[in-house]
Amino acid sequence: MNCSFSKSKDVEADEDALAAFSPPKLLDEVKEKVLSFVQLQLSRKRKVVVVTSGGTAVPLEHKTVRFIDNFSTGTRGSAAAEYFLQAGYAVIFIHRRKTLMPFRRHLDKNGSKGLTILDMFQLHPESDGSQTLRVDQTQIPQLSSVLTAYQSVKDQEMLLCIEFITLCDYLHYLKVAAEAIHPLGRSAMVFLAAAVADFYVPGYALPEHKIQSANGPPVIHLRQVPKMLGNVAQQWAEVAFVVSFKLETDHSLLVKKAREALVKYKHQVVIANLLESRRTKLEVITVEDHCTLILSEEELNKGGEVEEKLVADLIQRHEQVFRVTWN
Ligand code: 9Z3
């Protein structure tokens, strides 16, 4: 294969670039949680997947009022996390605050078919003037399947949720998690579904206070965010099975750019998706293989999710590539 990636040069350059993002206050606490979670999963001989989910915010002021953001809802990450849990993987879920969460997402649905927390309960007046809170009986079948899955995961301590808001938090937590799974060797996976900002304003260029509109439209110079995929795949989580995502809006670029990423970062899989069809069509691209996962109209109407197919496909590839002996 013709490969333009120079490990030492590119990875070192990105490592330096991470130093430009000051570590979040909670970094040590998060690190401790992640390390002890990994120890627990090791002792229970479980596979572990690090799932990243949601978009990263890029502050425009130190005391942040405004920031640059993106569209990501966390659907992909939270749905995939559930399917990995169902398949017996423990999950480190690094997610953007207020985006969708595994299990809880089923209670946040919009539209007439969806279940919201407010629809599940009813207040009943009692003869003594008090009120009783009752669960709406019609909601019990749907609620009980979500609750059963959630409680089982909770009892078995299979899910660790780490929250971020900014790009800076995200980059540091990703490093912590990717390094922490090292002892798991080949039974670890990294699933990078978060929509990571490509541009940011460096700390030294940020104004301390809210940008004043009276001064006219600001001119903001953005810098390129270093791609950490090389660090994850070549350094921090070197032996793990690494899955990245490529999002485009122009179909003619999609597969070409996904392939370039695979060659450049030398990881196992790139999932290519277009913004408009991301819920129903995913291209799974590896060095040897290219297949398309489709969720049909009928499957979609029945509540199916393309993430179920994706996770099943990735688990199979993980087993084949690394010949992991499952417990
Ligand atoms: C994706 O492509 C995800 O599939 C989506 C999921 C963000 C589209 P939602 O959260 O959406 O379910 O609403 N994620 C990765 C996009 C990305 O930032 N990729 C980088 C790039 O394209 C590669 S690391 O450069």
Side-chain angles (χ1 to χ4, degrees), residues 242-309:
V242 176
V243 181
S244 76
F245 282 75
K246 174 58 71 185
L247 174 75
E248 291 295 339
T249 53
D250 178 349
H251 186 260
S252 68
L253 295 177
L254 186 65
V255 172
K256 178 179 167 284
K257 293 196 71 181
R259 286 210 172 283
E260 281 170 8
L262 200 63
V263 169
K264 183 169 185 190
Y265 300 111
K266 288 182 168 171
H267 56 303
Q268 284 70 33
V269 185
V270 179
I271 309 299
N273 55 169
L274 284 174
L275 184 64
E276 62 185 15
S277 57
R278 70 190 192 280
R279 299 281 171 248
T280 53
K281 188 175 174 192
L282 300 173
E283 316 262 359
V284 182
I285 298 170
T286 69
V287 173
E288 309 85 26
D289 193 19
H290 177 173
C291 74
T292 307
L293 303 176
I294 304 264
L295 189 73
S296 68
E297 186 91 20
E298 197 189 340
E299 289 171 314
L300 188 67
N301 292 337
K302 283 187 188 155
E305 295 180 306
V306 74
E307 289 77 13
E308 183 171 10
K309 296 181 188 225

Side-chain angles (χ1 to χ4, degrees), residues 93-104:
F93 185 64
I94 304 181
H95 66 281
R96 166 73 180 273
R97 181 189 290 177
K98 292 189 182 164
T99 56
L100 293 178
M101 299 290 289
F103 309 112
R104 215 192 298 167

Side-chain angles (χ1 to χ4, degrees), residues 151-170:
Q151 278 166 4
S152 154
V153 161
K154 195 176 166 194
D155 292 347
Q156 295 181 73
E157 301 176 281
M158 291 175 74
L159 176 62
L160 176 68
C161 295
I162 304 290
E163 183 180 278
F164 66 84
I165 300 178
T166 64
L167 169 72
C168 176
D169 295 353
Y170 167 82

Side-chain angles (χ1 to χ4, degrees), residues 73-90:
T73 58
T75 302
R76 177 88 71 232
S78 58
E82 276 180 34
Y83 292 114
F84 278 119
L85 288 162
Q86 222 173 70
Y89 280 69

